[in-house]
Amino acid sequence: MGVYVTAVIALAAGYLLGRLRPWRRLGDWAADQVRHTGPWARGGAGRQAVVVLVHAVTAPRTSRRIMRTPATDAPVPAPVRDPAWVAHRIRTDEGGTT
């Protein structure tokens, strides 16, 4: 009887872990925290250590790649404005522009 109860409990636990996917959720959370450096960097050294440790355990290959790559800010392209835009207008009729 004890073997059957243990088997049913193990089966139910496996099913719940498969449905909830805590490992994947924990890894996604850690990746989001690492990717968005603003809030977690202000959380203190303890929070940073926990996030980096969780990310290293749940996604080791990605963690190594992130650690080897230097952090750079991607420049946001500024819109280019033509100072002589009036001269480059195309007139389609006598009274106005296109």
Side-chain angles (χ1 to χ4, degrees), residues 3-30:
V3 174
Y4 294 119
V5 171
T6 305
V8 168
I9 291 173
L11 184 64
Y15 175 76
L16 286 174
L17 287 175
R19 294 293 291 167
L20 297 176
R21 300 176 187 228
W23 193 255
R24 175 176 270 175
R25 288 178 186 225
L26 187 62
D28 291 344
W29 173 81

Side-chain angles (χ1 to χ4, degrees), residues 52-63:
V52 169
L53 179 64
V54 168
H55 192 268
V57 169
T58 57
R61 288 188 293 173
T62 305
S63 296

Side-chain angles (χ1 to χ4, degrees), residues 12-89:
Y15 175 76
L16 286 174
L17 287 175
R19 294 293 291 167
L20 297 176
R21 300 176 187 228
W23 193 255
R24 175 176 270 175
R25 288 178 186 225
L26 187 62
D28 291 344
W29 173 81
D32 287 342
Q33 296 298 311
V34 169
R35 189 177 306 119
H36 304 293
T37 57
W40 79 274
R42 290 189 300 265
R47 180 179 167 98
Q48 290 176 12
V50 168
V51 168
V52 169
L53 179 64
V54 168
H55 192 268
V57 169
T58 57
R61 288 188 293 173
T62 305
S63 296
R64 282 193 298 268
R65 188 181 74 232
I66 289 172
M67 287 183 227
R68 286 193 308 247
T69 306
T72 57
D73 290 334
V76 177
V80 178
R81 302 206 186 272
D82 185 10
W85 67 273
V86 174
H88 299 296
R89 290 188 301 178

